[in-house]
Amino acid sequence: MTSVGLRPLAVAVLLGTLAGCQSLSGLFGAGEPQARPDTLGSLQPAPTIVETGQRTPVSLDQVIQDYEDLLPLLDDPERIVQVQHRLADLRFHQAEDRMVETAQADLDVAIDAYQQLLEKYPDRKSNDQVLYQLAKAQDLNGDTQAHMATLDALVAGYPDSDFRIETQFRRGELLFTQGYYAEADEAFQSVIGLAQNSDDASDQRFVTDAWYMRGWCLFKLGDYDNSLVSYTRVLDRVMPEGQSPTAVDQRSQTLLNDLFRVMGLGFTQSGGADSLQALFEKVGSKPYEIVVYDRYSDLLVAKEQYSDAIDVYERYIALHPDSRWAPRYHIAIIDTLQKAGFTSTIVERKAAFVRDYSITGTYWQQASAEDRQYLLTQLEPLLTELANRHYVIAQRVKKVNKPEEARKEFQAAADYYAAFVATFPRHPDTPDMVFLLAETHVELQQWPQAIEAFERVAYGFGPQPKGAEAAYAGILTYQDYLKASADSSPEILASLKQREQQSRLRFVTGFPEDPRAIDILYIATQQDFEQQQYLDALAHAQQIIDWQPVPAETVLLDARLIKAHSLYRMGDYPFAEMAYQDALLRLPEDDTRRADVLENLAASVYKQAEAFLAAGDKAAAVDELLRVGEVAPTSALRANAEYDAANYLIEMKSWDKAVGVMAAFRAAYPQHAMIDTLPAKMALAYRETGQWEQAADESQRMVGLATTDDEKRDTQFITAQLYDRADNQQKAIRAYSDYANRYPEPLADYMDAADRLAVLYEDTGEPTQRRLWLQKQMDAVDRNPASADDRMRYQAAAASAVFADDAYRYFSALTITQPLQETLGAKISALEEAVAAYQKTADYGVSKFSTEAGYRIADLYAQLGTALMESERPDGLSELELSQYELLLEEQAYPFEDNAIAIHEQNAQRSWDGIYDEWVRNSFESLRSLLPGRYNKPELNAGIVENVY
């Protein structure tokens, strides 16, 4: 409970806050009259010291009572109006806060207060705020009629009010609830129009709901087309990027569900698919168009309006044939027909899907990978179903002797089987499909196609259950082919017979365990090898080797060579290697063929390496390449094989092994054509294994091999970096020096080299050389300021800072002694030099060094002032003379201290620009000592009266 002694203070606070304090609802706008000087409104409450932790909270009831007590004390009419308005707001919020039965009485009091304000001050500019609060209170009070009347009065009387948009929206809601749809539509149109002409973002918060409610108004009025257009405006705002409805917030999801439902009703009322098409022709293409189609079709299917749903699917496909949704809607049509029991056209629909979305169609060409996968998922069962269906029908009509109809069905089946095979070349069922395709070709007497299909099943898919059957069927088909080609030319017949022979021998090779193999075996001759029939030649050669009794040695040797050559030509390099090894064991030392056989042996091993490479196994390939030198040490191929092995080891990042192979190659083949490519490769390998000095040595070789100045320059820089990383300071200094002395451009690399030289000379204890390269960094930037980037300026500033620090230390070391004129002059000269050095550092524009320079310069002046005051006094001065001397020193020192303060303040002001580093903080610290009255004040905290609202 507030004591009597606090009441006058509370009244004074209320008087003081009236001019600037807003009401709870923000009703005191910028247009309110301002307090005039020398009036009650201009008074401010006297400062009141309130101890921390002793604030007394003031209740809302107490504030209302204080305002009521204040009213009799006021004589300014404007203040009286403001207090009355404030009381009405507080009464209204008191009713809102209570939310109990007694709130009715509070609302009545607030409503009565607002109405009295309006009656008593009808011309007050801010009455729109009063009307707004009155309408809100009437709404809470359940007085719909009065609520509507107040909203109408606000709209009519205050067309430019800040509350006009919300007021129109609330009017629209009330009118819609009361069934006045046309009037509600006008209100919602007003909301939309006002918001579109407003730049205030807060005015947009009612637009989405206004479009939504306007759609409902038009729907209720039977204007379905414009209702649908209005709903698209909602979608434009809620789903601007065509995002999924599930991606929007929960409130928007609820709105969308209701919106799609009413849009579906609108489409049905306006003509179904025609209305849907007309809508997007009117509003243009939208990213959410598919969502509208999808929701509407789902609604139709749920209502078992299957034909209408199919119309919607077909309309979308017709309008968007290239859309990713077109094939999905095609499948939806088939599913809908199946669900509806309309089976008569399903086969045609399936055939149309295959036609429109096969891999040879135009749709497939523009489809994404994801959409192609979807098409494959659908095509797989459809192609199988359609192909088998036509094959069964063909067999059926063939039995009833309808050859033309049967041929038509067989051809259709063949087309679908071929389409499946082309679409799914690696499918597990593809071999069976190819077998059925071959049988269909036989029925159609398409002999070449049938043979190709049978042989594909037999030899194109690896081991297959029907492999031998297909191979044998192919041989039999050759017989039918030859009969049908009896009248062809001798050349054609010879070719066919040769292919038939190859087919038989292929069967023997492919299916040696088949009981029919012995019946179709054909023994080939040596001529097969000359005609490049290597498989036949291999078979014959092996038969010769196994022949009993044993043939002549020369024949056996030729057979072994033919076997090896055939294996090599067929790409069977491991067996070719073994065959060549076998042949070499039997070749006489003086046989002229030994050299060629040895090269073929090396090539067999090399080819094995290539095979491993093709299979992605580089490690195995490297082993094979290195094995060339083992199996054929005198082969011309050995050098290339070992060089290639080194390259692949580098690719595999097997650095140590690569270094060993390359070192051996360099020693064995010093004159090889590729010898000059080794330094770069070895440098890389050494770098990857952390052998930085060896890498640098190789890089130095590369400098000598470089053919252009750019290449020499870049390689020299890399060499220096490598020696640097190897911690070989002398070689690094020599390499960096060679680079920097020879290549002043590009500037960035020159600066980096000079920077490293400065660091290295510092590490080796050579300050003179270090400062030489620091100076060169500064000179380079000074000569090319436009070419210098931030990093270069930083390097130059860092270098300059070293010289400035030298000058700073020199200045600090000097003392002022008698005679004063001599030592003070030296001190001032040192000051000027140090200041100039720091100014140059700051001129590079690097924040870190600029703030340091600012601090150091200020400190230099401060030190000089201090040094003057602490300088040696002349001997023999009287007390009066000493006092006068002290005053003279102070007069001389103060300007330096003033300079120090001014420069510290400039440096401290950098914090206003967001720069607050070590040196800015140091400047603040110095200012606390130099100007304690300004910079070393304790912070004062004043208590405040808590705002009751």
Side-chain angles (χ1 to χ4, degrees):
M1 181 173 180
T2 307
S3 69
V4 175
L6 291 177
R7 292 297 297 277
L9 177 58
V11 171
V13 172
L14 290 172
L15 284 170
T17 56
L18 275 172
C21 184
Q22 292 183 333
S23 73
L24 292 174
S25 304
L27 296 179
F28 287 179
E32 285 291 18
Q34 299 299 311
R36 299 187 303 277
D38 303 323
T39 66
L40 182 63
S42 67
L43 293 178
Q44 296 297 322
T48 303
I49 300 175
V50 180
E51 293 298 328
T52 303
Q54 295 182 359
R55 301 190 186 106
T56 302
V58 183
S59 68
L60 183 59
D61 290 339
Q62 183 64 60
V63 174
I64 292 173
Q65 184 62 50
D66 289 342
Y67 271 112
E68 289 177 344
D69 293 344
L70 174 64
L71 269 176
L73 304 177
L74 299 177
D75 55 4
D76 185 348
E78 183 61 32
R79 291 300 173 209
I80 292 172
V81 174
Q82 292 181 1
V83 171
Q84 288 174 338
H85 191 167
R86 182 65 167 163
L87 274 169
D89 287 343
L90 291 170
R91 287 291 187 188
F92 175 50
H93 284 283
Q94 187 179 51
E96 283 187 313
D97 290 343
R98 288 181 177 175
M99 296 301 291
V100 293
E101 294 179 359
T102 58
Q104 181 72 39
D106 293 325
L107 283 172
D108 290 339
V109 172
I111 290 170
D112 183 61
Y114 287 134
Q115 289 174 338
Q116 288 184 27
L117 277 173
L118 293 171
E119 291 173 4
K120 194 171 183 178
Y121 307 103
D123 299 325
R124 190 164 173 257
K125 291 182 180 180
S126 59
N127 276 352
D128 62 327
Q129 302 168 351
V130 179
L131 286 169
Y132 176 82
Q133 291 296 88
L134 175 59
K136 188 174 180 182
Q138 290 167 337
D139 183 28
L140 291 175
N141 209 24
D143 192 347
T144 303
Q145 184 175 359
H147 181 204
M148 187 66 187
T150 302
L151 292 175
D152 289 341
L154 202 163
V155 169
Y158 300 92
D160 297 325
S161 171
D162 291 341
F163 306 103
R164 65 195 185 284
I165 292 178
E166 182 179 355
T167 301
Q168 284 286 26
F169 185 83
R170 302 307 176 197
R171 288 185 67 252
E173 287 184 320
L174 284 173
L175 289 167
F176 183 86
T177 303
Q178 296 169 2
Y180 297 109
Y181 303 123
E183 292 80 357
D185 180 46
E186 291 179 1
F188 292 128
Q189 286 189 70
S190 177
V191 171
I192 295 166
L194 289 170
Q196 287 176 342
N197 294 324
S198 173
D199 296 330
D200 190 345
S202 64
D203 287 342
Q204 308 302 313
R205 64 188 187 278
F206 295 102
V207 174
T208 300
D209 289 339
W211 278 115
Y212 176 70
M213 291 305 299
R214 183 159 190 259
W216 266 110
C217 292
L218 294 170
F219 182 85
K220 291 290 188 179
L221 292 169
D223 189 354
Y224 303 115
D225 291 341
N226 285 322
S227 172
L228 292 168
V229 171
S230 184
Y231 288 135
T232 64
R233 304 309 182 208
V234 178
L235 292 175
D236 288 339
R237 299 175 71 85
V238 178
M239 300 174 61
E241 301 299 329
Q243 60 188 3
S244 169
T246 59
V248 302
D249 56 71
Q250 182 61 45
R251 176 187 175 279
S252 297
Q253 287 185 31
T254 303
L255 181 144
L256 286 177
N257 291 334
D258 189 56
L259 181 144
F260 286 129
R261 179 183 63 81
V262 71
M263 287 185 78
L265 297 176
F267 287 134
T268 300
Q269 292 290 340
S270 299
D274 291 337
S275 174
L276 193 55
Q277 176 180 348
L279 172 64
F280 287 106
E281 287 177 349
K282 186 173 184 179
V283 302
S285 178
K286 299 290 185 180
Y288 52 76
E289 183 174 349
I290 183 59
V291 181
V292 178
Y293 271 88
D294 214 45
R295 289 298 185 91
Y296 182 42
S297 58
D298 287 348
L299 178 66
L300 293 171
V301 171
K303 292 184 175 182
E304 298 186 358
Q305 295 176 238
Y306 299 118
S307 297
D308 293 338
I310 290 172
D311 288 343
V312 171
Y313 293 140
E314 289 180 331
R315 186 62 54 89
Y316 185 87
I317 294 171
L319 294 173
H320 307 282
D322 294 331
S323 167
R324 69 189 305 262
W325 301 105
R328 289 165 172 80
Y329 274 2
H330 203 127
I331 294 300
I333 291 173
I334 296 172
D335 293 341
T336 303
L337 288 171
Q338 191 72 43
K339 182 181 295 185
F342 305 154
T343 59
S344 60
T345 61
I346 288 181
V347 173
E348 295 177 9
R349 296 280 189 176
K350 292 179 178 180
F353 185 93
V354 171
R355 179 196 64 221
D356 295 341
Y357 305 113
S358 68
I359 63 172
T360 59
T362 56
Y363 183 90
W364 179 273
Q365 305 308 316
Q366 55 87 42
S368 67
E370 180 183 355
D371 292 336
R372 287 185 176 184
Q373 186 57 47
Y374 172 81
L375 293 178
L376 292 175
T377 302
Q378 303 303 322
L379 287 170
E380 178 185 350
L382 290 179
L383 287 170
T384 303
E385 176 187 342
L386 292 171
N388 292 338
R389 182 177 184 277
H390 283 288
Y391 191 86
V392 170
I393 294 174
Q395 293 284 10
R396 186 185 305 137
V397 297
K398 178 183 177 182
K399 290 180 180 179
V400 296
N401 197 22
K402 294 181 178 179
E404 292 301 323
E405 187 175 346
R407 183 173 183 83
K408 178 181 178 181
E409 294 294 335
F410 276 126
Q411 187 60 59
D415 292 340
Y416 285 122
Y417 285 133
F420 184 97
V421 172
T423 306
F424 305 101
R426 295 177 180 82
H427 195 282
D429 294 339
T430 297
D432 291 338
M433 290 293 184
V434 178
F435 192 91
L436 291 169
L437 174 61
E439 289 187 331
T440 307
H441 283 311
V442 171
E443 294 289 349
L444 293 167
Q445 297 184 5
Q446 297 169 345
W447 312 117
Q449 295 91 326
I451 292 170
E452 180 184 1
F454 280 132
E455 291 186 345
R456 184 177 178 185
V457 175
Y459 312 112
F461 298 99
Q464 292 291 325
K466 292 186 178 180
E469 190 64 34
Y472 190 73
I475 295 171
L476 296 179
T477 304
Y478 266 114
Q479 296 176 10
D480 293 330
Y481 193 8
L482 284 168
K483 291 178 183 178
S485 305
D487 295 334
S488 299
S489 66
E491 291 80 9
I492 292 176
L493 290 174
S495 176
L496 286 176
K497 289 178 180 180
Q498 184 178 8
R499 288 159 56 192
E500 180 185 26
Q501 181 181 14
Q502 292 168 350
S503 180
R504 288 178 179 142
L505 293 174
R506 195 177 185 187
F507 182 93
V508 172
T509 303
F511 308 97
E513 303 299 328
D514 191 282
R516 295 167 291 189
I518 195 64
D519 297 330
I520 58 175
L521 180 62
Y522 181 82
I523 300 176
T525 63
Q526 191 173 0
Q527 186 179 5
D528 291 330
F529 178 79
E530 295 175 1
Q531 294 179 350
Q532 300 181 4
Q533 303 298 325
Y534 303 118
L535 185 61
D536 292 344
L538 178 61
H540 291 182
Q542 192 59 50
Q543 286 183 359
I544 293 172
I545 293 170
D546 296 337
W547 197 264
Q548 293 296 331
V550 178
E553 186 61 30
T554 55
V555 174
L556 287 174
L557 186 55
D558 287 344
R560 287 187 171 87
L561 288 174
I562 289 173
K563 175 183 177 181
H565 293 331
S566 298
L567 288 167
Y568 183 89
R569 299 293 178 84
M570 290 188 299
D572 198 345
Y573 303 114
F575 284 102
E577 178 192 354
M578 294 169 61
Y580 281 126
Q581 293 276 23
D582 186 48
L584 280 171
L585 289 174
R586 291 166 173 79
L587 270 175
E589 291 295 330
D590 57 352
D591 195 308
T592 58
R593 294 174 292 181
R594 283 190 66 88
D596 291 337
V597 172
L598 190 65
E599 291 297 333
N600 285 349
L601 173 61
S604 297
V605 178
Y606 194 94
K607 287 292 186 180
Q608 291 177 64
E610 290 182 343
F612 280 120
L613 285 173
D617 191 347
K618 288 183 181 178
V622 168
D623 290 341
E624 293 302 303
L625 289 170
L626 295 177
R627 201 163 59 83
V628 169
E630 297 174 5
V631 301
T634 61
S635 168
L637 196 58
R638 176 184 178 180
N640 289 344
E642 292 177 355
Y643 182 84
D644 291 344
N647 284 332
Y648 293 127
L649 286 168
I650 291 172
E651 291 181 12
M652 293 163 56
K653 300 183 179 181
S654 295
W655 308 113
D656 291 332
K657 192 172 181 180
V659 167
V661 172
M662 287 187 287
F665 183 92
R666 177 181 280 169
Y669 310 106
Q671 303 302 318
H672 194 276
M674 305 301 292
I675 197 69
D676 288 343
T677 65
L678 288 185
K681 300 176 187 296
M682 295 187 75
L684 173 62
Y686 283 129
R687 287 171 64 179
E688 293 296 333
T689 54
Q691 301 178 70
W692 305 111
E693 186 158 359
Q694 293 87 334
D697 292 340
E698 295 296 334
S699 183
Q700 192 66 59
R701 287 192 179 95
M702 293 168 62
V703 173
L705 295 171
T707 57
T708 66
D709 287 341
D710 288 347
E711 185 181 356
K712 287 179 181 293
R713 180 193 66 222
D714 294 343
T715 308
Q716 181 65 40
F717 192 77
I718 292 171
T719 302
Q721 290 177 316
L722 290 171
Y723 280 128
D724 196 355
R725 188 159 186 181
D727 290 331
N728 190 324
Q729 293 177 328
Q730 294 306 317
K731 286 188 176 181
I733 288 173
R734 185 163 53 252
Y736 277 127
S737 298
D738 289 346
Y739 178 88
N741 290 325
R742 185 176 301 176
Y743 303 110
E745 297 291 339
L747 184 57
D749 289 344
Y750 174 84
M751 290 291 291
D752 286 343
D755 186 59
R756 285 304 301 158
L757 282 166
V759 172
L760 288 168
Y761 278 124
E762 181 180 20
D763 292 343
T764 57
E766 299 176 74
T768 302
Q769 289 298 108
R770 179 197 178 203
R771 281 161 176 74
L772 169 67
W773 287 104
L774 290 174
Q775 184 64 49
K776 288 188 176 184
Q777 292 179 66
M778 296 163 57
D779 294 343
V781 172
D782 292 344
R783 287 194 303 271
N784 305 279
S787 301
D789 58 19
D790 291 345
R791 173 177 168 79
M792 300 176 203
R793 284 191 290 273
Y794 184 95
Q795 290 169 323
S800 178
V802 174
F803 290 104
D805 289 344
D806 289 345
Y808 180 89
R809 286 189 293 272
Y810 175 74
F811 168 84
S812 299
L814 293 176
T815 58
I816 301 176
T817 60
Q818 295 296 330
L820 185 66
Q821 292 82 358
E822 295 179 7
T823 57
L824 178 60
K827 188 77 169 178
I828 291 175
S829 296
L831 169 75
E832 292 172 347
E833 291 179 5
V835 169
Y838 279 118
Q839 186 60 55
K840 179 174 180 61
T841 301
D843 288 343
Y844 287 111
V846 180
S847 172
K848 172 182 176 181
F849 298 105
S850 296
T851 57
E852 180 184 4
Y855 173 80
R856 292 294 193 189
I857 291 172
D859 190 54
L860 286 166
Y861 281 110
Q863 283 190 44
L864 183 57
T866 301
L868 271 172
M869 295 304 299
E870 296 175 352
S871 63
E872 182 180 7
R873 285 5 179 208
D875 296 330
L877 295 179
S878 67
E879 182 176 348
L880 176 61
E881 289 173 335
L882 180 61
S883 175
Q884 291 174 341
Y885 187 83
E886 296 283 353
L887 289 174
L888 179 62
L889 286 179
E890 287 181 2
E891 290 176 359
Q892 294 294 321
Y894 282 156
F896 296 114
E897 183 175 315
D898 288 343
N899 284 344
I901 291 171
I903 297 171
H904 274 310
E905 286 183 329
Q906 291 176 6
N907 209 38
Q909 286 173 0
R910 295 175 183 270
S911 64
W912 300 350
D913 299 326
I915 302 173
Y916 191 72
D917 59 11
E918 170 191 359
W919 303 107
V920 173
R921 288 195 299 272
N922 290 343
S923 286
F924 273 115
E925 289 298 325
S926 297
L927 287 169
R928 288 189 181 97
S929 299
L930 294 169
L931 286 179
R934 181 184 301 177
Y935 290 99
N936 199 26
K937 293 180 180 180
E939 295 186 1
L940 296 179
N941 294 321
I944 60 172
V945 178
E946 289 187 347
N947 194 331
V948 296
Y949 48 86

